[in-house]
Amino acid sequence: MTMNQTPDRAQRHGRFRFLRVPLFRLLAINLAGGVTLATVVVGGLLALNPGGLRHLIFADASPGTALGLLLFGFVVTFGSAAMGTAIMAMGRAADDEQRRGPPAPVAEPAHAMARAWRRR
């Protein structure tokens, strides 16, 4: 290898090289899940036709604009919720079951409390 040659790994210029970064891959996977869920919800709204929504959209001169805006709103909502949930869950291990905050009071059965009261 001469001075002007670089290793094969450095020469690769993939279009999706940023997907090798774990954070971007995590966000891309969760965004895809949010987009899928948004598409299912918009399809369900069109199938169920609540309040005549489907007829209202398709009676318009440009139904693609209305569908696009509706889908965009759901994609932003569900995509950002999925990505935010993934980010917030990153710091927690799967087996992390430690409780946070003050300990919860332990409830005792009524008959055990009555026996303790009689012993006094």
Side-chain angles (χ1 to χ4, degrees):
M1 182 158 77
T2 65
M3 294 280 278
N4 293 334
Q5 291 178 338
T6 56
D8 183 40
R9 187 175 191 167
Q11 287 180 351
R12 281 190 257 166
H13 295 289
R15 290 186 297 181
F16 301 109
R17 196 166 64 177
F18 64 92
L19 287 178
R20 293 183 190 176
V21 179
L23 178 64
F24 286 128
R25 189 172 48 238
L26 174 77
L27 291 176
I29 289 169
N30 284 285
L31 178 62
V35 169
T36 303
L37 183 62
T39 305
V40 168
V41 168
V42 169
L45 282 174
L46 291 176
L48 293 175
N49 195 20
L53 180 67
R54 180 181 60 220
H55 298 301
L56 183 66
I57 289 174
F58 289 117
D60 190 29
S62 58
T65 303
L67 281 175
L69 288 171
L70 184 65
L71 185 62
F72 177 74
F74 278 109
V75 165
V76 167
T77 302
F78 291 131
S80 62
M83 291 187 330
T85 302
I87 291 292
M88 294 300 166
M90 268 180 36
R92 183 175 37 153
D95 59 311
D96 185 18
E97 293 296 326
Q98 294 177 349
R99 296 182 60 112
R100 289 165 174 70
V106 177
E108 293 183 23
H111 58 80
M113 291 175 57
R115 268 190 251 134
W117 179 259
R118 278 187 240 144
R119 289 182 191 164
R120 288 187 193 180

